[in-house]
Amino acid sequence: MGLTNNDIFKKLRVAHKFRDTDIIDICALVDFEVTKGELGAIFRAEEHPKYIECGDQFLRNFLNGLVIHMRGPMPKKKEK
């Protein structure tokens, strides 16, 4: 069985040593709101009753925010 979005998200969190507040701030860079409760549900075990699946859009928004967090915002294109 392959990795789920939850697995990828957990591995990124551990690799970068992100806390919940860091993830919330990163998501805010792309105007995506997430709460600590939602993050807690995503990081729970699959068997837990309050577990929620990390959707594609959630992971995509986090990754877009992570790019901005790591590289900085894209520079404006010069007009000719």
Side-chain angles (χ1 to χ4, degrees):
M1 183 171 167
L3 292 174
T4 65
N5 287 349
N6 291 61
D7 295 332
I8 294 167
F9 199 25
K10 287 176 190 177
K11 288 180 182 298
L12 286 169
R13 180 184 190 183
V14 171
H16 291 281
K17 300 177 184 168
F18 288 140
R19 296 178 181 202
D20 288 347
T21 54
D22 298 328
I23 294 171
I24 291 168
D25 293 341
I26 289 170
C27 289
L29 293 173
V30 291
D31 298 324
F32 185 71
E33 286 188 30
V34 61
T35 64
K36 284 187 179 187
E38 290 172 320
L39 290 177
I42 287 172
F43 295 128
R44 293 185 188 277
E46 286 186 46
E47 301 80 31
H48 195 279
K50 293 192 178 188
Y51 167 84
I52 61 169
E53 195 172 304
C54 179
D56 292 339
Q57 181 179 0
F58 191 101
L59 186 59
R60 181 175 46 247
N61 282 317
F62 172 73
L63 291 173
N64 288 336
L66 184 59
V67 168
I68 294 170
H69 175 74
M70 301 300 277
R71 291 188 196 166
M74 288 194 57
K76 302 273 184 186
K77 291 184 179 183
K78 294 180 182 177
E79 293 185 29
K80 291 184 178 181

